[in-house]
Amino acid sequence: MSDRVLAIDGGNSKTAVLLVDADGKVLAQVRGPGAPPQTVGMKRGLDVFEGLAREAAAQAGLSPDEPIASHTSAYLAGADLPREEEDLTRAITERGWSATTFVGNDTFALLRAGTAAAGGVAVVCGAGINAVGVARDGRTHRFPALGAISGDWGGGGQLGNDALWHAVRAEDGRGKPTLLLDALLAHYGEKSIFKVVEKIHFEEIELDPHALCPLVFEVAAQGDSVALEQVDRLIEEIVVLATVSMRKLDLMNEPVDVVLGGGVLTHTGDTVVGPVRQQILEAAPLAQVRLVDVPPVVGAALLGLDHIGASPSAELRLRSAYTDHVPAAVLDVAASG
């Protein structure tokens, strides 16, 4: 069987699957709904992954009775603890997609997507928020990322829920006046936020905090103090996650890549990224802060290529399929390789 990598980036809102050969050539790529096994259940989540994996195999012209790949590289939202990674590895291995399998948290795929260096720090801010760090000697740092019970704050879900919280309190007098109230009333087409709450309570409408998240940035851009406080708190949290990881790995005074990704960060322009970059550089002047420019599933594929011992040129070829910009470190390694 030819060496192939089946890469899976399993996020909360979507799943991306990439099938590449050992030379970094993209054989197939498919996307589907988010199906974190910790949220939807192990069988249902893996059924979604398998359907996408089989679709990729068919797209690549593989026979249904042959293994999809030699290695599966799955980086999944919700794989936050070693025990969860072990359970997922065992369950995916039993599916028989490949000879070997590795499962990790999806933030590691973001880090690999954003850097060709041996280590670095990545912060993802999408539906939720998380960070990981990898030192050049292989040491890692990560957070439990289990929500409020593990000290987390941030992400699109958090901002959207808080927007509704502030709007309710602005209307009933418990909170500060805020333009978030008008923005949410317009979003739901109602004249009273209490009516919105009532409909959510009786499940007549769905509370989708991720859809409310962009309103926070829109209102903050109008100078609203309540929304600005939320944005400032998010910036502070991202900086804290990055700098704590760097400090734990003794990277504060080292040249280190800090990779930022996730929908909230990539879709807000310089509103968040600019201040985050400035504050990280104030704490760690040698850091290189960058917004990821290829999909995280590419990082999952690169980690898979690392596992099978692919040549540096494979990384160059894979990255070139997604962007005209290839990090200098990749070019240097490819040239020396």
Side-chain angles (χ1 to χ4, degrees):
M1 177 184 66
S2 300
D3 283 341
R4 292 186 295 270
V5 170
L6 174 66
I8 302 173
D9 171 40
N12 287 297
S13 59
K14 64 181 180 302
T15 302
V17 172
L18 196 59
L19 187 62
V20 301
D21 67 15
D23 294 324
K25 179 183 177 182
V26 176
L27 303 176
Q29 51 186 332
V30 296
R31 289 181 57 157
Q38 287 80 0
T39 302
V40 304
M42 184 71 79
K43 183 181 184 304
R44 181 180 172 189
L46 264 61
D47 284 349
V48 171
F49 297 162
E50 175 145 16
L52 295 172
R54 297 295 175 189
E55 183 180 344
Q59 192 179 110
L62 302 181
S63 168
D65 59 355
E66 67 177 307
I68 299 173
S70 54
H71 179 68
T72 296
S73 180
Y75 287 82
L76 312 176
D80 296 307
L81 301 173
R83 188 165 74 180
E84 291 170 324
E85 292 174 338
E86 292 168 5
D87 291 344
L88 286 161
T89 299
R90 183 166 48 252
I92 290 177
T93 299
E94 290 173 355
R95 293 282 174 139
W97 304 336
S98 58
T100 59
T101 299
F102 185 89
V103 175
N105 183 269
D106 59 341
T107 315
F108 285 103
L110 171 66
L111 175 58
R112 188 66 179 88
T115 178
V121 171
V123 182
V124 61
C125 185
I129 193 166
N130 197 8
V132 299
V134 179
R136 294 182 186 279
D137 60 9
R139 288 176 296 126
T140 63
H141 176 263
R142 58 196 297 185
F143 297 91
L146 301 176
I149 63 171
S150 60
D152 306 336
W153 188 93
Q158 179 89 56
L159 290 173
N161 281 321
D162 284 1
L164 178 58
W165 187 87
H166 284 294
V168 169
R169 293 172 70 89
E171 182 173 274
D172 68 20
R174 286 179 291 172
K176 299 178 183 178
T178 172
L179 294 175
L180 286 169
L181 174 56
D182 294 334
L184 265 71
L185 290 177
H187 175 80
Y188 285 109
E190 295 288 349
K191 295 182 179 180
S192 167
I193 202 68
F194 175 76
K195 191 65 177 178
V196 173
V197 171
E198 183 180 23
K199 287 186 174 182
I200 292 172
H201 175 70
F202 287 112
E203 298 182 348
E204 294 170 357
I205 60 174
E206 180 184 2
L207 171 59
D208 182 1
H210 308 300
L212 302 181
C213 176
L215 301 179
V216 177
F217 294 97
E218 292 174 13
V219 171
Q222 300 174 45
D224 182 82
S225 63
V226 173
L228 283 168
E229 287 174 4
Q230 295 302 100
V231 174
D232 287 344
R233 185 178 178 186
L234 178 64
I235 291 167
E236 179 184 4
E237 191 68 17
I238 293 168
V239 173
V240 165
L241 286 167
T243 53
V244 167
S245 289
M246 285 190 282
R247 191 173 297 113
K248 294 287 188 180
L249 295 173
D250 303 316
L251 298 174
M252 295 297 287
N253 298 308
E254 300 287 335
V256 58
D257 289 331
V258 179
V259 180
L260 307 176
V264 173
L265 282 169
T266 56
H267 294 141
T268 54
D270 212 41
T271 302
V272 176
V273 175
V276 165
R277 179 182 289 110
Q278 179 182 346
Q279 292 181 34
I280 289 176
L281 291 178
E282 288 172 359
L286 298 180
Q288 295 287 331
V289 184
R290 62 169 61 99
L291 197 63
V292 68
D293 61 353
V294 298
V297 70
V298 173
L302 289 170
L303 286 164
L305 290 172
D306 294 342
H307 178 86
I308 67 172
S311 70
S313 61
E315 176 167 355
L316 178 61
R317 184 175 191 178
L318 178 55
R319 286 188 182 277
S320 297
Y322 286 88
T323 178
D324 293 333
H325 169 72
V326 179
V330 177
L331 296 174
D332 292 342
V333 173
S336 62

